[in-house]
């Protein structure tokens, strides 16, 4: 297992040590806390649960499940940041034989290769996709309605939305290309995301971050009097905490169905539904530590619309399992189902980009970090980029400097360290 490396920067003895409060101990909150501590700040982190990690927690149980997938994309700046600090740890490679067991559900049948029209669309650069047109309209004009529909449905694995075709063409196409990239950007930390969180927590501790769990924060006034506050919670929680009704942005709604099966040779590695939105993946194909010997752990992610119920999502998941996992009902040893509502990252409608989301800098020493705020990237990369930006702006304000960035930081000025604006 890789070690977490502390890299605290020395601070000037002639200047008082700034204090930063971080509310929320998920991926964004831990990123903010580590970044601030490395810069020499005194940091206190408050987490309302008894463990850190937020949505990145991995269940410490017989079946090591997450709320979402276990994958960590290596195309974003967070990968470099985590790797430099020894926080990624061991990765579980996908065995070559498993890589051949990806199937696409198209026109009611399982296929090994995507439609030709979808492949043609993947050759288009993200910059060719307009921001102010929906993906279905733009992609349909490029490769036809059928290819556009298949591509939109495939992109749902990185969007968690029931109708990707209705979203901004630039937003969807960028994520489609990353999700379909060869070799894949997705990598799997052994033991799930929770192992990364454990190493981040250890590094924060080594850097002197004071961590208080089971500490629900309902008012930040007292903290704001001591110094900058980074609110690294869900956007809904931030809206309630800051009493700011403008903190709203659209996110997805997805049924998550976890199933453990007795092992049978020939089970698929993954199944993508191109006739609708849905993805099924056998996580133990690459990481055997996630379930007991002789069992396989599978998760179905089924985006559901506002009028659909959890039962509707579960029924669609079971249909995909019927297609890809023979006799799975007779092999079930454990299962559960839940709905992730507004917990799967920001979605940009036509005419909007990440710059239009709620700004990182809220004024009066308060900053936001999370996956629905104004920062570029894919899924957890938004949380990372916004956390780095929040701390950079906070420390810049504390030092009395100006001109590093505007009110939105990433939107108006120079990018902060590790942020690649091309990933927008």
């Amino acid at each position: 297992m890789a070690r977490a490396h502390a890299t605290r920067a020395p601070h000037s003895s002639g200047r008082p040590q700034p204090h930063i409060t971080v509310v929320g101990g998920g991926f964004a909150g831990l990123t903010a806390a580590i970044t601030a501590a490395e810069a020499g700040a005194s940091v206190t982190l408050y987490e309302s649960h008894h463990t850190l990690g937020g949505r990145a927690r991995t269940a410490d149980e017989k079946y090591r499940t997450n709320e979402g997938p276990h994958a960590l994309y290596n195309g974003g700046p967070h990968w470099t940041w985590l790797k430099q600090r020894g926080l990624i740890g061991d990765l579980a490679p996908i065995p070559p034989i498993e890589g051949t067991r990806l199937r696409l559900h198209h026109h009611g049948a399982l296929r090994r290769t995507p439609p030709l029209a979808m492949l043609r669309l993947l050759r288009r650069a993200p910059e060719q996709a307009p921001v102010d047109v929906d993906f279905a309209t733009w992609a349909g004009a490029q490769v036809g309605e059928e290819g556009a529909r298949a591509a939109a449905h495939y992109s749902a694995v990185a969007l968690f939305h029931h109708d990707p075709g209705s979203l901004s063409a630039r937003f969807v196409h960028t994520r489609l290309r990353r999700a379909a990239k060869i070799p894949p950007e997705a990598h799997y930390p052994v033991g799930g995301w929770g192992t990364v969180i454990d190493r981040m927590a250890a590094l924060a501790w080594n850097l002197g971050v004071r961590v208080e769990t089971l500490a629900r924060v309902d008012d930040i006034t007292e903290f704001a009097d001591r110094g900058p506050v980074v609110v690294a919670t869900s956007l809904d929680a931030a809206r309630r905490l800051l009493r700011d009704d403008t903190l709203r942005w659209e996110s997805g709604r997805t049924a998550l169905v976890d199933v453990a099966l007795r092992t049978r040779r020939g089970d698929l590695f993954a199944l993508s539904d191109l006739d609708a939105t849905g993805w099924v993946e056998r996580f133990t194909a690459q990481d055997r530590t996630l379930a007991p010997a002789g069992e396989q752990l599978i998760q179905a992610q089924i985006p559901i619309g506002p009028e659909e119920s959890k039962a509707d999502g579960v029924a669609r998941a079971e249909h995909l399992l019927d297609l890809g996992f023979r006799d799975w009902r007779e092999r079930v040893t454990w299962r559960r189902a839940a709905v992730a509502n507004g917990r799967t990252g920001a979605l940009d409608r036509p005419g909007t980009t990440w710059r239009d989301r709620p700004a990182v800098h809220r004024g009066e020493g308060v900053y936001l970090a999370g996956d629905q705020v104004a920062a570029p990237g894919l899924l957890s990369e938004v949380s990372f980029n916004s956390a780095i930006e929040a701390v950079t702006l906070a420390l810049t304000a504390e030092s009395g400097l100006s001109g590093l960035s505007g009110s939105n930081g990433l939107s108006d000025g120079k990018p902060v360290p590790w942020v690649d604006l091309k990933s927008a």
Side-chain angles (χ1 to χ4, degrees):
M1 179 180 293
R3 293 179 179 272
H5 306 299
T7 55
R8 179 189 285 274
H11 56 84
S12 171
S13 59
R15 181 179 297 161
Q17 188 179 25
H19 183 272
I20 290 183
T21 299
V22 178
V23 180
F27 182 60
L30 284 168
T31 298
I34 290 169
T35 302
E38 287 180 346
S42 169
V43 184
T44 303
L45 183 149
Y46 296 92
E47 166 58 46
S48 61
H49 293 84
H50 71 282
T51 56
L52 300 173
R55 280 167 279 165
R57 282 192 297 267
T58 299
D60 188 17
E61 299 171 357
K62 183 178 180 180
Y63 303 104
R64 296 182 60 77
T65 59
N66 285 48
E67 280 195 26
H70 293 257
L72 182 65
Y73 283 74
N74 70 350
H78 67 326
W79 180 270
T80 301
W81 188 88
L82 291 167
K83 190 173 182 179
Q84 286 182 335
R85 289 158 178 77
L87 298 173
I88 295 177
D90 295 332
L91 295 172
I94 301 174
I97 187 63
E98 298 291 359
T100 67
R101 292 173 176 161
L102 169 65
R103 296 292 185 271
L104 306 169
H105 180 230
H106 192 221
H107 289 170
L110 296 187
R111 304 173 185 271
R112 294 175 181 269
T113 57
L116 182 60
M118 180 174 157
L119 293 175
R120 295 207 322 267
L121 189 63
L122 287 169
R123 291 200 292 266
R124 305 293 198 275
E127 294 76 17
Q128 294 179 266
V131 168
D132 56 353
V133 176
D134 67 83
F135 180 81
T137 299
W138 172 76
Q142 300 295 309
V143 299
E145 183 179 337
E146 182 179 322
R149 185 184 303 110
H153 291 159
Y154 185 87
S155 72
V157 68
L159 296 173
F160 300 91
H161 188 260
H162 69 287
D163 184 16
S166 67
L167 305 176
S168 165
R170 176 76 59 85
F171 176 79
V172 175
H173 191 53
T174 300
R175 283 144 187 80
L176 171 67
R177 280 172 53 94
R178 292 190 64 185
K181 190 174 180 181
I182 301 296
E185 285 192 21
H187 294 270
Y188 300 83
V190 172
W193 258 97
T195 60
V196 178
I197 292 298
D198 289 344
R199 282 183 283 270
M200 294 180 75
L203 176 56
W205 177 272
N206 290 337
L207 289 167
V209 174
R210 179 183 173 186
V211 176
E212 295 195 14
T213 57
L214 292 175
R216 182 180 180 85
V217 174
D218 296 312
D219 190 340
I220 65 167
T221 304
E222 178 183 348
F223 304 136
D225 290 340
R226 303 180 204 161
V229 177
V230 176
V231 178
T233 66
S234 69
L235 198 60
D236 285 346
R239 181 173 64 250
R240 294 190 296 269
L241 176 61
L242 300 180
R243 298 171 179 81
D244 184 349
D245 198 53
T246 68
L247 298 182
R248 296 180 182 273
W249 200 260
E250 187 176 0
S251 185
R253 183 166 172 262
T254 303
L256 302 175
V257 180
D258 293 295
V259 180
L261 309 179
R262 288 188 295 274
T263 299
R264 186 189 70 80
R265 289 187 62 185
D267 277 342
L268 295 186
F269 161 53
L271 172 57
S272 175
D273 194 353
L274 303 187
D275 290 343
T277 52
W279 178 272
V280 180
E281 184 170 346
R282 180 163 52 94
F283 287 144
T284 40
Q286 65 274 350
D287 187 356
R288 291 294 310 132
T289 71
L290 302 178
E295 297 184 47
Q296 303 285 342
L297 183 61
I298 298 167
Q299 184 179 80
Q301 305 157 24
I302 310 295
I304 52 179
E307 303 305 320
E308 292 183 287
S309 66
K310 181 173 78 171
D312 294 325
V314 170
R316 286 168 51 197
E318 291 178 342
H319 176 60
L320 293 180
L321 288 166
D322 287 337
L323 292 171
F325 298 85
R326 192 178 69 199
D327 302 326
W328 71 273
R329 297 172 193 270
E330 288 72 39
R331 294 188 282 137
V332 171
T333 56
W334 172 86
R335 66 179 292 175
R336 73 173 183 185
V339 173
N341 189 13
R343 295 179 290 166
T344 53
L347 300 169
D348 294 343
R349 290 285 179 179
T352 64
T353 71
W354 60 267
R355 294 175 174 85
D356 299 299
R357 301 173 198 158
V360 172
H361 188 195
R362 307 309 303 173
E364 299 181 351
V366 177
Y367 306 86
L368 285 185
D371 60 10
Q372 288 181 261
V373 301
L378 171 70
L379 299 174
S380 60
E381 297 165 10
V382 180
S383 293
F384 170 83
N385 287 336
S386 60
I388 298 290
E389 170 75 352
V391 171
T392 300
L393 291 174
L395 293 179
T396 299
E398 283 293 289
S399 66
L401 300 176
S402 61
L404 176 66
S405 58
S407 63
N408 237 19
L410 289 165
S411 305
D412 307 315
K414 300 177 182 179
V416 299
W418 308 114
V419 174
D420 180 5
L421 293 179
K422 293 183 292 183
S423 67

